[in-house]
Every structure is written in structure tokens, then in C-alpha cells.
Amino acid sequence: MAAAAAARMVSVAGSSTVASSSCLLLKAPFALKNGRNALSFNNGRRLSKRLFSCNAIYNPQVQIKHEGQPETLDYRVFFEDTSGKKISPWHDIPLHLGDGVFNFIVEIPKESSAKMEVATDEPYTPIKQDTKKGKLRYYPYNINWNYGLLPQTWEDPSLANSEVEGAFGDNDPVDVVEIGETRRKIGDILKVKPLAALAMIDEGELDWKIVAISLDDPRASLVNDVDDVEKHFPGTLTAIRDWFRDYKIPDGKPANKFGLGNKAANKEYALKVITETNESWAKLVKRSIPAGELSLA
């Protein structure tokens, strides 16, 4: 595990050196070695275990394996390398792609209601349908955007955010709302650029929502910050906020709240959130912070 944690540190945010290394990571593909979790450069010597490519929006070198039947308690979506070894979408997929672009993993396709999520407490953290009291969970209505996570991020539940009412992290990876026009599939890995951030407070816990767009969307070149979203996707930021504010109300729960003046923060703030939560994740996998029931495999 120490080797895996050290290898994962290549994607920690916060310096130009790291950003450059992340770009090199894509240009010189890496392979899994020394076990299922340790990532390393292969310097182009062997490409048989290559996981990532600079050229594709999707990542064809990561294979998706479905186990069980959808909408059952046993259903899992695992991620594997080309040798068939399971890897963690949360821990082993790099966050950074360089030039302000990040990997985004789809958990819930747009216009669907099954509440799918990475199982952070299971080995290899597969995607599964969330449950409550032994029953599968569904949103009361379809979500209108692709929804998922930023790998190698973590909202630290021991860390109070002084800018958002002192709320503590929700113990999960950072969520992404991808506003592109295409309905994606569970397990898709997309290259996205962040545009804005919403500070949702769910039962007292901080649950960031990063608004982003996939680079292959026809309007991706038109939007680079929060004001561009308002211009080219009018009403979308309000719709996202209201959707996440109200989705628990049909179940008899109170509406969620939002910090930062109830408004979407700009791209610069979103990047700050990503950097801070990436640093928290790095401490987690180095075991500088107790993992509790979280799986680091």
C-alpha cells in the first residue's frame, strides 16, 4: 500500500511541476505494476498495459466489467486494466490531464433516476446502486445532466470549511455535474473542464458540485467560466441548484442549502476546491488521516 500511495501522489495538485508531470503521464503511458494499485511510467517501452491515451475522450484502455443485473442489490460496475486486473476508479484513475482538464467518471447518466455511486467502502470501489434500509435508492425524478465524480479527490469529514458556514466534508469524492448534450454511460471516463462550483450543504455536510463540460461537446469551446455558462446554457446553473436543493423534499426531508451566497462560484474557485480536495485525498491514501471504513484498494 505504501508503494501504491506513493505512485498515486503523481496526480496531487498544487504546483506547476506536478501539472507538467501529469501531462507527461499522458504522453508517456503508464502501467500497473507491483500489484493492482501502483501506477508507474513505462517510458514507452511496453504499451501492452497502457491505460490512458491523450487522443481519446473515452479511455479505451480501461475496461468496464458489469457483475450482476442492473437495478439489483448485487449489481457492480468494476474497472479493469488490459490484463483483467481490477483497479479503483476513485484511486487509480488520474485526476489531472494538464491544461486545466480533468478526468470525470460517470456514475449516473443524464435522464435517469437510479442513484448510482462509487462504493467507497468496498475493495476496488466499484460503482453500485445506493441503498437505504436494504432497498435500492432512486431519485424522485430523472437527473437532467451526467453526474459522477472527480477521481483522486476527497471531502475530508474532519475539515471544517470556514467559507461555507463551517460545514465539514461529506467523506466522499467530489461530485461533478456535466452539462453537455450527450447522454453518457455508467463508467464512462470523460475529459472535462470545470466551469463553476456550487457549495451544497446536505444535512450539515459540505457536498461540492463542480459544474463542468466534456471537451467533445459541440459547445465546449464556447464556455470557459461561470458567466459563459449563463450565456450559452441560460438557466442551467439555477436549474442545477434547484434540482439538488429540492430532490429530497418528496421523501419528506427538508430542502438542502447552499453556501457562498446561494450562487455558483467561478472557475477559479472551482479549481481551488479541486486542488484542496485532491490534497485531502493524498493525505488519505498516505494514511496521514484515518481511513475509517473507506477502502484504499
Side-chain angles (χ1 to χ4, degrees), residues 13 31 40 69 75 103-104 106 175 204 255 292:
S40 67
Q69 294 298 315
Y75 181 60
N103 272 322
F104 158 60
V106 179
D175 297 325

Side-chain angles (χ1 to χ4, degrees), residues 75-244:
Y75 181 60
R76 298 292 185 275
V77 179
F78 284 97
F79 290 64
E80 297 180 346
D81 68 10
T82 54
S83 71
K85 292 181 179 179
K86 290 178 179 176
I87 61 173
S88 166
W90 181 19
H91 300 308
D92 294 327
I93 303 298
L95 172 63
H96 296 277
L97 296 176
D99 298 325
V101 179
F102 300 85
N103 272 322
F104 158 60
I105 300 169
V106 179
E107 295 169 305
I108 305 174
K110 67 187 298 184
E111 305 307 334
S112 64
S113 63
K115 194 174 185 303
M116 308 300 294
E117 63 181 20
V118 162
T120 58
D121 59 349
E122 295 184 11
Y124 307 107
T125 63
I127 296 173
K128 69 171 186 178
Q129 188 167 351
D130 191 23
T131 60
K132 184 175 182 179
K133 297 181 180 179
K135 295 184 178 180
L136 297 171
R137 291 187 66 189
Y138 294 85
Y139 290 120
Y141 31 72
N142 284 351
I143 190 167
N144 306 126
W145 312 273
N146 296 301
Y147 188 59
L149 74 141
L150 287 175
Q152 299 186 339
T153 62
W154 179 57
E155 299 193 49
D156 184 350
S158 70
L159 189 64
N161 191 309
S162 60
E163 298 177 0
V164 189
E165 302 181 18
F168 292 85
D170 70 350
N171 203 33
D172 282 323
V174 171
D175 297 325
V176 172
V177 183
E178 194 276 316
I179 62 174
E181 67 179 29
T182 302
R183 184 179 189 269
R184 308 295 183 165
K185 297 178 181 178
I186 297 173
D188 279 350
I189 302 172
L190 308 179
K191 294 177 180 179
V192 300
K193 56 180 176 181
L195 304 169
L198 286 161
M200 191 175 92
I201 302 172
D202 182 355
E203 298 182 12
E205 294 181 336
L206 180 55
D207 186 3
W208 288 106
K209 308 299 179 188
I210 301 297
V211 179
I213 191 166
S214 179
L215 296 191
D216 67 344
D217 188 83
R219 288 185 282 178
S221 63
L222 302 176
V223 287
N224 293 292
D225 212 326
V226 64
D227 292 338
D228 298 327
V229 179
E230 292 288 6
K231 179 179 180 180
H232 296 285
F233 294 80
T236 295
L237 292 172
T238 299
I240 292 171
R241 183 199 63 197
D242 292 353
W243 195 98
F244 283 99

Side-chain angles (χ1 to χ4, degrees), residues 12 37 45 74 139 192-193 203 215 223 235 240 259 268 271 275 279:
V12 176
N37 294 317
R45 289 190 297 270
D74 296 329
Y139 290 120
V192 300
K193 56 180 176 181
E203 298 182 12
L215 296 191
V223 287
I240 292 171
E268 181 181 6
L271 292 174
T275 296
E279 290 170 350

